[in-house]
Amino acid sequence: MKYSALLTDLYELTMMQGYYLLGNNPQVSFDMFFRRNPFSGGYSIFAGLGDLIDTLEHFSFDQEAIDYLDSLGIFKKDFLDYLSNFHFSGNLYAMDEGTVIFPGEPIVRVEANLIEAQLIESILLNILNFQTLIATKTARVYNASRGGLILEFGLRRAQGWDGAVSASRAAYIGGAAATSNTLAGKLFNIPVKGTMAHSWVMAFPNELESFRSFAEIYPDNAILLIDTYDALGSGIENAVIVGKEMKKKGKSIGVRLDSGDLSYLSQKVRKRLDKEGLEDCTITVSNDLTEEIIHQLMSDGAPIDSWGVGTHLVTGGSEASLAGVYKLGAKEVDGKMVPTIKLSNNAEKTTNPGIKQVWRFFDADNMAIADLIALEEEQIAPGKAYRFYHPMYENAHFILDSYDTIKPLLKKKIEKGKVIAPKEGLPEIQQRVKDGLSKFDRTYKRIINPHIYKVSLTSALKKLKLHMIEESEEWTPENGK
Amino acid sequence: MKYSALLTDLYELTMMQGYYLLGNNPQVSFDMFFRRNPFSGGYSIFAGLGDLIDTLEHFSFDQEAIDYLDSLGIFKKDFLDYLSNFHFSGNLYAMDEGTVIFPGEPIVRVEANLIEAQLIESILLNILNFQTLIATKTARVYNASRGGLILEFGLRRAQGWDGAVSASRAAYIGGAAATSNTLAGKLFNIPVKGTMAHSWVMAFPNELESFRSFAEIYPDNAILLIDTYDALGSGIENAVIVGKEMKKKGKSIGVRLDSGDLSYLSQKVRKRLDKEGLEDCTITVSNDLTEEIIHQLMSDGAPIDSWGVGTHLVTGGSEASLAGVYKLGAKEVDGKMVPTIKLSNNAEKTTNPGIKQVWRFFDADNMAIADLIALEEEQIAPGKAYRFYHPMYENAHFILDSYDTIKPLLKKKIEKGKVIAPKEGLPEIQQRVKDGLSKFDRTYKRIINPHIYKVSLTSALKKLKLHMIEESEEWTPENGK
């Protein structure tokens, strides 16, 4: 199902048929980018690329799909024949999955004929928008916990089963240590973890028996949920009894708190455990956690070892979508690629024209200074001073001559339909996120009101953009443009 | 994949193994309910049941899944053998899909042995929480548009591909007329619709040619996007030219606005179209629409015919999850079902014990008055006066003796693992939503600050609940409970 090319908006298909019938099928270059970091944050984490590449490799129409399209009565036989042989044969450039990314810069560039580039728009945005949102959210949660153990517990509140499975993948990339979603564990080889539910405790004659039974069956992973009846009363006391019994067998237990004031309770519980010699007993917390709540708990000095994060991690919580877009940057005219621009009264929505590359500049300590969007044909080389132009404000710019290294971020991943990028494992991508973030000053990673990282245009790109804006005369009844 | 019983939280499986090894597998009754209407609304729309029934019918572990679980090193051979033969063999009671529902009332009741009831928790919540969220959102959007034409355009911003497909299903139930998601159209037989993208307009030498070409190819469905360059300049004028050409051929076009002030622009565009004799030309709008924005546009008297709603419709927007829960209501002790209760310092989180039914009371005009949660064994019959007790506040109640009819809402859908409910088509469910909502006073359907519909407990249920709260003595080190 995931590979069915029917996973597209109908208008892509009607537009494609239009191009097909009119013979209007030039080579084009589309950019995928977004205009604002989610969660009022200072950065985003690019995720979903592995799934996108896998999907593009298999995206096609089977006979059932063709029959369905035929039944709609709006597609011609010729075009349906074309679709039944469809496969993506273009180039895909993308940043490496797990790259730290910023608003305005092309994350992905598709070079293909117009028909193919159009068909893949919806699924490309669907995959990248969602996984980037969730990887970003998780990186924020991970940072707020100061590198704590993040357990993704979101299946029951996720948006459909793939909303859950894809979120598990992206959350792991963003820094989660494990998921509760067993299918995601199998599909992506992510560690799976879990504790117990209140219903376990209620399924026994009393709490002590429920704890003891669990610890006997799972001596190496007994995390006891202590708040079914009274966390600081029966809960912690019964956990202490079982903790001591297990200690005699050389095993450590853990406790979980799922309600109440987690800072107050965790401190009381820690004290009680330590007093009984159960310093090894870990404390896990859950209950609608967000990065803001975790940040606050850490600032309080709450002695929490691991964090079960569900709803907000897998849906984005108050921000449920990344508004990534896919815009035409260039098209073939008379055998030559020429830049295109989408104008808007809203300067933020006017696109950057042309076929572009993104360069990241680093200082001598290997810390990122700023990103520069250049035209592909520009030779950006270290050692030279560059002017960094603000993407919207006219004439606002600065000159960077003191830097150490530069790196191009967009790399060819698919060439003429053939995947050339090596398949990456998720641990590798997770590590890239951690390494990548370590190269940004902590002010960019602040949970609230972060420092804004600069993404600028080269002088050549800024000139091209201004030129194209000026050139697009106002429409008048006379020119009938 | 959707039917893989691995779509569960790992802790369900570890708890199941615990029950299995301990021989602790009584019959139980679980309730699914939620505590708050989403979007600060006055009602919710129950959706997802068809998908849930379908899933429960097929939910099982294939050999690959068993091998994966085996590889985790925490499951015993015996239990894995049990799982490899797993199928759901319990009873499922549920409200009809599309029923108007309220916080606190059981929407679904699962009667099964503890192991089976536990396994299906995560997938049941995943499906029902999400689809109920989206059907509710769509009903609000539909109401705000005063019964307008709602087009669901969310694929590119949805949470994974099933986040999109399931949302299309739920949105249709909630009142959407069509989806842009071609796969969802095929899977659920939902009408598919679309217009054109800015990239279509940009793919031609000029806007007029792009409009004309489209109308020639799709004379029966030419909705022209007029804001690529200048909506009130070139956009509307080129649309008027093509509209008049098509009118001569006996066809009507439409226009779409995707930016700017939609109230201002739609009024100007309507005037211009009417002046040119294009009264048949429809106006479609889009651009991050929510029910609040639509409500405002309708109050403004904006002459809008149809609404393309994407992001907010398929994700819930600012509220991305329904916090539905699944709680133990009764379990078998010595061959008899006895009520259970989950206590909490937060009165809202203390559950209603027992096996329950929900009754809806109607007045002589067939308008809903209030819902009453009763114990299953109570004989609720018309003609008698009933006390309606507040679910939390002690002693708060009213007496209802003036009503006309009553209806039980929970119905048996699966009996001993066998589906007994007839398979329903989505148009039938959509109609149930419309009929159901028409039986509620409009004050309950207000977008902001709605009238609160009453959901109460019978005298017997209230007594049982209070009795169980009192009976649960506080834990002390002495009783060691």
Side-chain angles (χ1 to χ4, degrees):
Chain A
M1 221 72 111
K2 175 180 167 187
Y3 300 134
S4 172
L6 284 183
L7 264 174
T8 196
D9 289 307
L10 182 73
Y11 83 165
E12 312 280 15
L13 292 165
T14 50
M15 289 192 290
M16 284 166 69
Q17 171 166 272
Y19 298 138
Y20 181 85
L21 296 177
L22 297 166
N24 181 4
N25 193 22
Q27 282 296 115
V28 291
S29 174
F30 272 89
D31 298 316
M32 188 267 180
F33 61 95
F34 60 98
R35 299 192 180 100
R36 209 174 46 73
N37 285 312
F39 319 116
S40 309
Y43 63 90
S44 296
I45 301 296
F46 177 44
L49 181 65
D51 272 0
L52 175 66
I53 289 175
D54 184 38
T55 301
L56 291 185
E57 218 181 344
H58 299 96
F59 215 50
S60 60
F61 297 89
D62 60 17
Q63 192 53 45
E64 230 185 77
I66 297 292
D67 292 345
Y68 170 71
L69 291 177
D70 195 18
S71 76
L72 296 177
I74 47 178
F75 297 107
K76 302 219 188 301
K77 178 87 181 61
D78 253 25
F79 178 63
L80 292 174
D81 285 347
Y82 165 80
L83 288 187
S84 64
N85 293 311
F86 176 89
H87 67 102
F88 179 71
S89 70
N91 299 332
L92 181 84
Y93 290 80
M95 296 193 187
D96 290 331
E97 188 161 12
T99 299
V100 181
I101 56 175
F102 298 93
E105 50 195 32
I107 314 306
V108 169
R109 194 172 89 211
V110 173
E111 295 180 349
N113 64 49
L114 180 56
I115 292 181
E116 291 187 15
Q118 200 71 67
L119 179 68
I120 67 169
E121 174 180 19
S122 312
I123 192 70
L124 179 149
L125 290 174
N126 176 276
I127 294 172
L128 302 184
N129 277 337
F130 179 50
Q131 291 199 38
T132 298
L133 180 81
I134 301 307
T136 305
K137 186 73 170 179
T138 312
R140 288 169 57 78
V141 162
Y142 179 75
N143 281 340
S145 78
R146 305 182 194 171
L149 200 73
I150 307 299
L151 311 172
E152 178 268 301
F153 280 177
L155 171 57
R156 66 190 55 195
R157 302 279 169 79
Q159 301 208 338
W161 74 262
D162 178 53
V165 165
S166 291
S168 299
R169 181 184 188 280
Y172 185 74
I173 288 174
T179 179
S180 68
N181 184 332
T182 321
L183 182 59
K186 172 173 182 291
L187 290 174
F188 305 120
N189 201 21
I190 301 173
V192 283
K193 283 253 183 323
T195 65
M196 63 169 62
H198 293 117
S199 59
W200 172 272
V201 179
M202 292 164 72
F204 288 80
N206 60 58
E207 192 179 44
L208 180 59
E209 196 175 316
S210 79
F211 287 178
R212 197 174 266 147
S213 301
F214 197 87
E216 271 165 20
I217 299 172
Y218 302 108
D220 295 315
N221 189 30
I223 297 179
L224 310 172
L225 180 58
I226 63 174
D227 67 351
T228 302
Y229 303 114
D230 181 2
L232 295 184
S234 69
I236 180 62
E237 297 309 324
N238 286 325
V240 163
I241 294 169
V242 174
K244 286 168 142 181
E245 291 170 2
M246 296 306 289
K247 200 179 172 185
K248 281 186 198 144
K249 300 179 190 167
K251 303 286 183 186
S252 314
I253 62 157
V255 298
R256 176 161 76 104
L257 292 161
D258 186 43
S259 58
D261 191 287
L262 299 173
S263 179
Y264 180 83
L265 293 175
S266 63
Q267 292 181 59
K268 293 278 180 192
V269 164
R270 184 74 271 160
K271 219 175 238 178
R272 185 80 192 94
L273 291 168
D274 290 352
K275 196 182 160 199
E276 296 288 342
L278 297 171
E279 291 86 357
D280 284 352
C281 176
T282 58
I283 300 179
T284 299
V285 300
S286 51
N287 193 20
D288 255 347
L289 296 175
T290 63
E291 63 268 47
E292 291 84 5
I293 294 173
I294 293 172
H295 177 72
Q296 194 59 57
L297 287 167
M298 290 303 294
S299 305
D300 272 6
I304 294 168
D305 302 290
S306 83
W307 312 81
V309 197
T311 311
H312 296 272
L313 205 65
V314 301
T315 65
S318 58
E319 212 164 306
S321 59
L322 181 79
V325 294
Y326 182 79
K327 297 288 177 189
L328 191 63
K331 70 175 173 185
E332 184 191 357
V333 177
D334 300 331
K336 236 191 92 193
M337 294 300 285
V338 302
T340 62
I341 192 166
K342 158 86 179 73
L343 300 173
S344 174
N345 294 330
N346 179 349
E348 206 189 32
K349 288 198 167 180
T350 295
T351 60
N352 295 319
I355 301 175
K356 299 172 290 291
Q357 175 59 280
V358 183
W359 298 84
R360 184 156 294 166
F361 286 64
F362 297 88
D363 67 15
D365 295 328
N366 205 17
M367 296 294 282
I369 304 170
D371 285 4
L372 184 64
I373 309 178
L375 291 166
E376 174 82 356
E377 71 237 30
E378 293 187 76
Q379 302 294 327
I380 306 293
K384 287 169 37 184
Y386 285 96
R387 278 176 199 266
F388 281 62
Y389 281 85
H390 191 282
M392 285 166 273
Y393 303 149
E394 273 181 61
N395 289 320
H397 72 278
F398 63 95
I399 296 172
L400 186 65
D401 52 6
S402 162
Y403 61 89
D404 192 66
T405 52
I406 57 175
K407 275 185 201 155
L409 300 184
L410 286 170
K411 300 170 187 176
K412 197 184 269 188
K413 304 289 185 182
I414 296 181
E415 184 168 30
K416 292 184 183 159
K418 198 174 160 294
V419 178
I420 57 170
K423 215 178 164 85
E424 293 190 306
L426 296 194
E428 194 177 340
I429 302 171
Q430 189 188 60
Q431 193 55 49
R432 181 176 293 129
V433 174
K434 290 181 184 173
D435 293 346
L437 281 171
S438 72
K439 299 194 170 80
F440 286 84
D441 188 77
R442 66 192 174 76
T443 55
Y444 296 119
K445 295 178 275 191
R446 204 182 289 134
I447 296 287
I448 294 164
N449 196 30
H451 183 182
I452 305 300
Y453 183 77
K454 286 194 173 63
V455 175
S456 307
L457 310 185
T458 59
S459 171
L461 177 53
K462 183 76 180 183
K463 265 181 208 152
L464 174 66
K465 185 175 185 176
L466 289 177
H467 175 72
M468 291 185 76
I469 292 173
E470 279 159 28
E471 212 186 24
S472 68
E473 306 165 66
E474 289 255 322
W475 175 91
T476 63
E478 288 67 42
N479 68 26
K481 188 172 175 172
Chain B
M1 222 70 111
K2 176 178 166 187
Y3 299 135
S4 171
L6 284 184
L7 264 174
T8 196
D9 289 306
L10 181 73
Y11 84 165
E12 312 280 15
L13 292 165
T14 49
M15 289 192 289
M16 285 167 68
Q17 171 167 271
Y19 298 138
Y20 181 85
L21 295 177
L22 297 166
N24 180 5
N25 193 22
Q27 282 296 114
V28 291
S29 174
F30 271 89
D31 299 316
M32 188 267 180
F33 61 94
F34 60 98
R35 300 193 179 102
R36 210 174 45 73
N37 285 313
F39 318 118
S40 310
Y43 63 91
S44 297
I45 301 297
F46 178 44
L49 182 65
D51 272 359
L52 175 65
I53 289 175
D54 184 37
T55 301
L56 291 185
E57 220 181 343
H58 299 95
F59 214 50
S60 59
F61 297 89
D62 60 16
Q63 192 53 45
E64 229 186 77
I66 297 292
D67 291 346
Y68 170 69
L69 291 177
D70 195 18
S71 77
L72 297 177
I74 48 178
F75 297 107
K76 303 219 187 301
K77 179 87 180 59
D78 253 27
F79 178 64
L80 291 175
D81 285 347
Y82 165 82
L83 288 188
S84 65
N85 293 311
F86 177 89
H87 67 102
F88 180 71
S89 70
N91 299 332
L92 181 85
Y93 290 80
M95 297 194 187
D96 290 331
E97 189 161 11
T99 299
V100 182
I101 56 176
F102 298 93
E105 50 195 34
I107 313 308
V108 169
R109 194 172 87 213
V110 172
E111 296 180 349
N113 64 49
L114 179 55
I115 293 181
E116 290 188 15
Q118 200 71 69
L119 179 68
I120 66 170
E121 174 180 19
S122 312
I123 192 70
L124 179 149
L125 290 174
N126 176 276
I127 294 172
L128 302 184
N129 276 338
F130 179 50
Q131 292 200 36
T132 297
L133 180 83
I134 300 308
T136 305
K137 185 73 171 179
T138 313
R140 289 170 57 78
V141 162
Y142 179 75
N143 282 339
S145 77
R146 304 181 195 172
L149 201 72
I150 307 299
L151 311 172
E152 178 268 301
F153 280 177
L155 171 57
R156 67 190 55 195
R157 302 278 169 82
Q159 301 208 337
W161 73 263
D162 178 53
V165 165
S166 291
S168 299
R169 181 185 187 279
Y172 185 74
I173 288 174
T179 179
S180 68
N181 184 332
T182 321
L183 182 60
K186 172 173 182 289
L187 291 174
F188 306 121
N189 202 20
I190 301 173
V192 283
K193 283 253 183 324
T195 65
M196 64 170 61
H198 293 117
S199 59
W200 172 271
V201 179
M202 292 163 73
F204 289 80
N206 61 59
E207 191 178 45
L208 180 59
E209 196 174 316
S210 78
F211 287 178
R212 198 174 264 147
S213 300
F214 197 87
E216 271 165 21
I217 300 173
Y218 303 108
D220 295 314
N221 189 30
I223 297 179
L224 310 173
L225 180 58
I226 63 174
D227 67 351
T228 303
Y229 304 114
D230 181 1
L232 294 184
S234 68
I236 181 63
E237 296 309 324
N238 286 326
V240 162
I241 293 169
V242 174
K244 287 168 139 179
E245 290 169 2
M246 296 305 291
K247 199 178 174 186
K248 281 186 197 143
K249 300 178 190 169
K251 303 287 183 186
S252 313
I253 61 154
V255 297
R256 175 160 78 103
L257 292 161
D258 186 43
S259 58
D261 190 288
L262 299 174
S263 180
Y264 180 83
L265 293 175
S266 64
Q267 293 181 58
K268 294 277 180 192
V269 164
R270 182 76 271 160
K271 219 173 236 178
R272 186 80 192 91
L273 290 168
D274 291 353
K275 195 179 161 202
E276 296 288 342
L278 298 171
E279 290 86 358
D280 285 351
C281 176
T282 58
I283 300 179
T284 299
V285 299
S286 50
N287 193 19
D288 255 347
L289 295 174
T290 63
E291 62 269 45
E292 291 84 5
I293 294 173
I294 293 173
H295 176 74
Q296 194 58 54
L297 287 166
M298 290 304 294
S299 306
D300 272 6
I304 294 167
D305 302 289
S306 81
W307 312 80
V309 197
T311 312
H312 295 272
L313 205 65
V314 301
T315 64
S318 58
E319 211 164 317
S321 59
L322 181 78
V325 294
Y326 182 79
K327 296 288 177 187
L328 190 63
K331 70 175 172 186
E332 186 192 356
V333 177
D334 300 330
K336 236 191 92 191
M337 293 301 284
V338 302
T340 61
I341 191 167
K342 158 85 179 75
L343 301 173
S344 173
N345 293 331
N346 180 349
E348 207 189 31
K349 288 198 167 180
T350 295
T351 60
N352 294 319
I355 300 175
K356 300 171 291 289
Q357 175 59 281
V358 183
W359 298 84
R360 184 156 293 167
F361 286 64
F362 297 89
D363 68 14
D365 295 328
N366 205 16
M367 295 295 280
I369 305 170
D371 286 4
L372 184 63
I373 309 177
L375 291 166
E376 174 82 356
E377 70 238 29
E378 292 187 75
Q379 301 295 328
I380 306 295
K384 287 171 34 185
Y386 285 95
R387 278 177 200 265
F388 281 61
Y389 282 85
H390 191 282
M392 283 166 274
Y393 302 149
E394 273 182 61
N395 289 320
H397 73 276
F398 64 93
I399 296 172
L400 186 65
D401 52 7
S402 161
Y403 61 89
D404 193 65
T405 51
I406 56 176
K407 274 184 199 153
L409 300 184
L410 286 170
K411 300 169 187 176
K412 198 185 267 188
K413 304 290 184 183
I414 296 181
E415 184 168 31
K416 293 184 183 159
K418 198 174 161 294
V419 178
I420 58 172
K423 217 179 161 83
E424 293 190 307
L426 296 194
E428 193 178 337
I429 303 172
Q430 190 188 60
Q431 193 55 48
R432 181 176 294 128
V433 174
K434 290 182 184 173
D435 293 346
L437 280 172
S438 73
K439 299 195 169 80
F440 286 84
D441 189 77
R442 65 192 174 78
T443 55
Y444 296 119
K445 295 177 277 191
R446 205 181 289 133
I447 296 286
I448 294 165
N449 196 29
H451 182 182
I452 305 301
Y453 184 77
K454 286 194 172 62
V455 175
S456 306
L457 310 185
T458 59
S459 172
L461 177 54
K462 183 77 180 184
K463 266 182 208 149
L464 174 67
K465 185 176 185 176
L466 290 176
H467 176 71
M468 291 185 75
I469 293 173
E470 279 159 29
E471 212 187 21
S472 68
E473 304 164 66
E474 291 254 321
W475 174 90
T476 64
E478 286 67 42
N479 67 27
K481 191 173 176 171

